Amino acid sequence: MIYKKVEFDHEVRKIVRRVFSLCCTAISVLLLTGCDPTAGSTVYEVIYPSGCTRDCYTRDEKFPIEGSSCSLQWEEADDYRKTHDYDMRILDENGSVLYEYLDMGSTTMRGIRQEADVIWVCAEQWTAPHYNGYLEGWLKESNLLLIDLSDGEILFQDKAGENEFYITSNGTRCYFYSPGKEESEKLFGWIKIPAENAVIYYREISDWTQKHAVYSFDYAAEPDIDTSHGVETRIRFYISENGLKMVWTSYESVGNGDWEYLEKKVYEIPLTPNASEQAGRLTRVSA
């Protein structure tokens, strides 16, 4: 009887240790994922014709304005500790301040020249911890400004909403990428919310509240691609004068200790308006 009791106690202790070990493992996983809520988020990367790029690891205080010798610079506002606002500066080719716009900047800004001395500037507000933006699902809002570099006048200003990712501009149009949404449920399944495919659309300054669809993708969350062997999924937006190439990639091992971004899916999207739309578009702004 004593032998059986000892054997029974031994088995109980083994079970307890096993349960304890499993609990510790589960807690560790939860703690690790909780420490980085951005884990698994798709990374955005914008690549301009000049070769300048911007992604979640870009932390430069200055960033070139595409097609111009000028650059953008952010600076903490005088009341930064209270408001967490940033000022925006436009610098000339020598690094001297041309114009300064109080409380209009951010640590993630991009600019692109249009015709003559007119530029579009996008100042983005991201909420992703540990990264400087450019993670899908973490874009709070963006401030879009059309600026005349000859005198610093703001010709147009408005905002884009949550997860409206600014891509580029063409005249008075600004193009955005909106990630799709998978089907979801509310009220314990009583209400089903259908999936929404990802889309590229533009806003026009004459009717900024309207979204004009340019291209609807064949996916909601991501295309039918295999990223199971990768440690990072990244969308690369290659901007050209007449269009956009959008490439889904996965960062994977290619052997011998080397890692590369492997292309998984490519989309070619024209963004150039037809001749009747193009005529006089910027003259409406400068008139």
Side-chain angles (χ1 to χ4, degrees), residues 215-229:
Y215 191 91
S216 181
F217 292 91
D218 54 358
Y219 64 85
E222 65 176 37
D224 184 17
I225 56 177
D226 181 12
T227 59
S228 59
H229 300 293

Side-chain angles (χ1 to χ4, degrees), residues 16 21 37-38 55 79 118 132 134 142 155 169 233 246 265:
V16 170
S21 176
T38 63
D55 63 11
D79 57 352
V118 177
N132 195 21
Y134 292 78
S142 301
L155 304 174
S169 297
T233 301
M246 187 171 152
K265 186 84 173 183

Side-chain angles (χ1 to χ4, degrees), residues 105-120:
S106 76
T107 58
T108 48
M109 296 189 295
R110 288 180 282 143
I112 185 168
R113 180 180 177 271
Q114 298 302 288
E115 53 189 58
D117 288 327
V118 177
I119 62 169
W120 274 104

Side-chain angles (χ1 to χ4, degrees), residues 45-48 236-240 243-247 263:
E45 180 181 7
V46 180
I47 303 171
Y48 289 99
R236 284 177 162 163
F237 298 89
Y238 292 89
I239 298 170
S240 65
L244 168 72
K245 183 168 79 168
M246 187 171 152
V247 182
E263 291 190 359

